Amino acid sequence: MPHKLKDLKRPVPSDIDIAQAVTLVPIKQIADEVGLLPEELEFFGNYKAKVHLDVRERLKDVPNGKYVVVTAITPTPLGEGKTTTTVGLSQALGAHLGRKVFTCVRQPSQGPTFGIKGGAAGGGYSQVLPMEDFNLHLTGDLHAITAANNLLAAAIDARMFHEAQTPDDEALFDRLCPKAKDGSRRFAPVMLRRLEKLGIHKTNPADLTAEERARFARLDIDPASITWRRVVDTNDRFLRGITVGEGPDEKGFTRKTGYDITVASEIMAILALTTSLADMRERLGRMVIGTNKAGEPITADDLGVSGALTVLMKDAIMPNLMQTVEGTPAFVHAGPFANIAHGNSSIVADQIALKLVGPDGFVITEAGFGADIGMEKFFDIKCRYSGLIPNVVVLVATIRALKMHGGGPKVVAGKPLDSAYTDENLELLEKGCANLKVHIKNAVSFGIPVVVAINRFSTDTDHEVELVRKVAKEAGAEDAVMSNHWADGGAGAVELGKAVIAAAEKPSNFKFLYPLEMSIKEKIETIVRDIYGGAGVEFLPEAERKIELYNRVGFDKLPICMAKTHLSLSHDPAVKGAPTGFIVPVRDIRASVGAGFLYPLLGTMSTMPGLPLRPVFYDVDLDLETGKVMGLF
């Protein structure tokens, strides 16, 4: 059962010291308490397990619990504590207020874990445990994504190589469909998908005409159109741009490409948005890697690799069951980027959790970055595919971030904060609350009640907290509550929990920001105008070319996943507060057809972070006597 923390240490120890001091509950006990059956679990040691999706079928007649999404104002580069708030709120509801509750959060990349950020399991006395497993290999989901992504990348280059080596179409067809000993031929099941796409309704290779054989066999991929890159879950800046094909056997087949970090892979976005194994198979097959020389999209199905990708991902689709510091259950599953992807944990984890908690319970999930990015994508992308209707938005704000938006000095990770952030300054704070008002307005515009969580730091004064509460409620929030869950665990978020319970009883009238039938340009312009506060959009030549292509090939009805900075409501990270009147340049628009969205690029988006001179991996080591991990934070 969930348990209240005792003997809270002061000063608050490091995250890993807190995590390793907790006596963990065996995951089998956690599973029993939430109503999971032994046959619905795949155990990974004593403290984590995968959960089979068929639990949804067993519980299909159980009404869903209340669905709460945690987001934030536009953050400083330090982050404002969304995950910590998500966990602290769950602990308050489960261990202190007696409600059934589930936490649903993303799995972090190992890149930031060893780079500049450190761990991402929450913080202080509001964490998901085992913290070391959460931040490292967990159950291998990221490795499965890496393997699947790179298998597709290898298939692309191999196919271009062999087509170039085999100029005769008939010979190419013979190599793809070799004769058996008895002289017969057969199509692999995935080949039938390509035939159907081509409008060839034949299942016997011998029945195809010469023209049909040529159309089937030769993909004729345009190397300049390829958007699929390799991935690795490490911050390795020197892989951002590479040349492949330098080996002696591939001489003459070189091309420039590069690596992204694993969490930027479209396969990660698919894992988060899929609803079943069959749905994942279809999405993986629809992934577009580029076009042929006639400008027609080439998919993973065309390359014949989509079935193998599904096999690599068949276990990763199951959510990972873990626990918080206070013994409340947590699902950790998927971890898509929140800038180029949608930045939310998986649909299947939310679906299972909502059934397990039942109608009186709560599922607390988190949307990445500020509400202009993560929350908007949660509503307009994730909720479209899940069919789930949220009950409450929790908007995390810090006085530190609001002062920055009021014109405070630049906040830089690793450098001490200016005194403007540690001394009371109501004038600066009130100016910065303009950013908070925009986010509240945006959340309310979706028809969902909003509760502001003021994540309190030790230097925040009562006058400052009261000012934020007043502004938030005047702007339309149901309530605004100071929360101290980092230092006090669930006990520090009890008032926040009560506010969320009250808001969840309020009527909601959820609606999407835009209909999918809108044109690509209209959808982008709606987001810029209604969410960011911009005056308009400038579509640069490459974006115009992509719009023409996507209209022609039928991708124009997909939702939009804006790729922009999280450090400003605008496209410019230097612009703080609540800017208006700006024009957003869209330099390119890319298609994640398998995941099911288009992503316009509003600036330069890095998909492969780099390591600083002094990465946090300096601090990570193993105590050889106890076997404990040291230095994660």
Side-chain angles (χ1 to χ4, degrees):
M1 295 292 290
H3 49 271
K4 299 178 183 179
L5 290 172
K6 299 176 182 178
D7 190 28
L8 297 172
K9 298 285 192 296
R10 295 293 185 269
V12 177
S14 70
D15 290 353
I16 194 166
D17 286 342
I18 291 172
Q20 291 179 346
V22 172
T23 301
L24 291 169
V25 178
I27 204 65
K28 183 180 184 305
Q29 182 179 331
I30 298 280
D32 290 344
E33 289 171 356
V34 301
L36 288 164
L37 304 178
E39 59 268 26
E40 293 168 339
L41 302 168
E42 299 286 340
F43 290 99
F44 282 73
N46 292 326
Y47 303 114
K48 54 188 186 290
K50 280 194 165 291
V51 176
H52 289 252
L53 303 192
D54 54 13
V55 67
R56 293 177 303 178
E57 180 63 23
R58 177 172 66 83
L59 300 176
K60 64 182 179 181
D61 295 328
V62 176
N64 284 348
K66 302 293 187 182
Y67 194 30
V68 180
V69 59
V70 178
T71 183
I73 63 170
T74 306
T76 70
L78 308 177
E80 309 317 309
K82 280 194 315 297
T83 306
T84 308
T85 302
T86 301
V87 177
L89 173 58
S90 292
Q91 292 179 166
L93 290 167
H96 298 263
L97 296 172
R99 299 297 182 117
K100 287 187 175 180
V101 67
F102 241 99
T103 309
C104 291
V105 291
R106 290 179 293 169
Q107 179 184 353
S109 165
Q110 288 179 168
T113 296
F114 290 125
I116 194 169
K117 181 179 178 182
Y125 285 104
S126 293
Q127 298 186 53
V128 177
L129 306 177
M131 180 259 218
E132 303 93 323
D133 295 4
F134 183 106
N135 286 304
L136 300 174
H137 303 286
L138 197 55
T139 57
D141 294 350
L142 267 68
H143 302 315
I145 293 165
T146 303
N149 185 101
N150 292 345
L151 177 61
L152 178 52
I156 295 166
D157 287 306
R159 185 59 173 261
M160 290 193 297
F161 174 80
H162 288 297
E163 286 193 17
Q165 296 283 75
T166 316
D168 180 74
D169 291 338
E170 195 67 28
L172 188 64
F173 181 82
D174 288 344
R175 292 180 66 188
L176 280 169
C177 299
K179 291 181 179 179
K181 289 183 180 179
D182 62 1
S184 65
R185 301 178 190 266
R186 72 174 185 87
F187 288 122
V190 71
M191 291 177 170
L192 299 176
R193 291 172 176 258
R194 173 158 174 79
L195 289 167
E196 182 180 352
K197 174 183 173 180
L198 295 172
I200 301 172
H201 304 295
K202 300 174 182 178
T203 57
N204 185 346
D207 294 340
L208 269 64
T209 66
E211 187 270 339
E212 288 171 339
R213 291 184 180 198
R215 287 176 61 212
F216 165 78
R218 193 164 297 280
L219 298 185
D220 200 24
I221 298 169
D222 179 2
S225 75
I226 295 171
T227 55
W228 198 263
R229 290 154 60 93
R230 289 159 173 83
V231 299
V232 63
D233 196 35
T234 303
N235 288 1
D236 193 342
R237 67 175 71 243
F238 286 92
L239 291 179
R240 289 171 179 168
I242 64 169
T243 301
V244 295
E246 294 283 5
D249 293 338
E250 292 73 46
K251 190 174 182 180
F253 295 97
T254 59
R255 71 178 183 92
K256 292 188 180 299
T257 179
Y259 274 76
D260 297 333
I261 199 160
T262 294
V263 291
S265 171
E266 183 177 352
I267 297 176
M268 174 61 91
I270 287 174
L271 178 64
L273 290 173
T274 194
T275 54
S276 67
L277 200 56
D279 177 63
M280 184 170 71
R281 171 66 183 83
E282 292 302 315
R283 287 174 178 270
L284 291 171
R286 289 198 303 264
M287 292 189 302
V288 173
I289 59 90
T291 67
N292 63 16
K293 291 174 183 174
E296 300 163 331
I298 300 296
T299 67
D301 269 349
D302 292 326
L303 285 156
V305 72
S306 44
L309 303 183
T310 309
V311 171
L312 285 169
M313 292 294 295
K314 69 180 179 63
D315 294 330
I317 196 174
M318 294 185 285
N320 304 296
L321 179 64
M322 300 178 75
Q323 64 190 283
T324 70
V325 167
E326 297 189 44
T328 59
F331 277 139
V332 179
H333 198 215
F337 259 22
N339 51 10
I340 64 166
H342 56 96
N344 285 270
S345 58
S346 77
I347 286 174
V348 293
D350 291 357
Q351 288 175 331
I352 294 171
L354 285 164
K355 293 299 182 185
L356 289 171
V357 300
D360 297 323
F362 287 79
V363 171
I364 316 297
T365 191
E366 174 196 351
F369 287 147
D372 54 314
I373 301 182
M375 182 193 72
E376 186 271 320
K377 295 174 182 180
F378 173 83
F379 289 147
D380 283 318
I381 299 175
K382 185 176 179 180
C383 289
R384 281 189 203 270
Y385 289 122
S386 71
L388 299 173
I389 305 300
N391 298 96
V392 182
V393 170
V394 173
L395 184 65
V396 179
T398 62
I399 287 164
R400 173 183 70 192
L402 291 171
K403 286 180 176 178
M404 178 192 71
H405 288 295
K410 189 174 182 179
V411 176
V412 180
K415 292 187 177 180
L417 286 172
D418 188 272
S419 60
Y421 297 106
T422 54
D423 296 342
E424 183 173 283
N425 190 326
L426 297 178
E427 182 181 357
L428 192 64
L429 178 60
E430 189 166 17
K431 287 181 182 177
C433 281
N435 185 270
L436 174 64
K437 293 176 185 177
V438 171
H439 288 298
I440 292 172
K441 173 187 73 69
N442 287 345
V444 170
S445 72
F446 283 94
I448 306 299
V450 179
V451 173
V452 173
I454 306 167
N455 186 17
R456 187 165 191 172
F457 296 162
S458 60
T459 55
D460 300 339
T461 70
D462 291 343
H463 290 119
E464 289 175 328
V465 171
E466 193 53 40
L467 174 60
V468 176
R469 292 191 72 241
K470 176 176 177 291
V471 170
K473 293 168 87 168
E474 289 175 350
E478 297 293 332
D479 206 346
V481 181
M482 188 277 289
S483 191
N484 197 26
H485 43 274
W486 179 80
D488 294 337
V494 166
E495 294 307 311
L496 176 61
K498 290 177 180 177
V500 168
I501 291 170
E505 297 302 321
K506 297 287 180 71
S508 61
N509 182 29
F510 176 66
K511 54 185 180 294
F512 296 116
L513 182 65
Y514 53 81
L516 295 182
E517 291 69 33
M518 265 189 178
S519 71
I520 294 172
K521 283 188 175 182
E522 286 174 326
K523 284 181 278 200
I524 294 170
E525 288 164 350
T526 298
I527 296 170
V528 168
R529 181 184 63 248
D530 295 352
I531 299 297
Y532 307 158
V537 180
E538 178 190 8
F539 294 93
L540 301 181
E542 182 61 20
E544 292 280 10
R545 190 182 74 80
K546 291 292 181 61
I547 290 171
E548 187 277 327
L549 170 65
Y550 299 154
N551 285 334
R552 176 165 53 82
V553 299
F555 297 163
D556 55 311
K557 297 300 183 283
L558 292 173
I560 300 297
C561 187
M562 300 286 258
K564 83 168 187 77
T565 179
H566 63 290
L567 296 173
S568 172
L569 279 165
S570 76
H571 60 285
D572 182 350
V575 178
K576 306 302 181 185
T580 58
F582 55 89
I583 302 296
V584 170
V586 176
R587 65 177 179 88
D588 193 4
I589 304 174
R590 297 180 185 170
S592 289
V593 181
F597 54 73
L598 303 178
Y599 62 100
L601 301 178
L602 276 56
T604 302
M605 289 288 117
S606 174
T607 53
M608 171 58 80
L611 289 172
L613 174 63
R614 206 289 193 184
V616 295
F617 64 60
Y618 272 81
D619 303 305
V620 179
D621 212 326
L622 195 67
D623 186 319
L624 298 179
E625 292 186 7
T626 64
K628 286 185 176 181
V629 174
M630 303 183 297
L632 287 176
F633 62 91

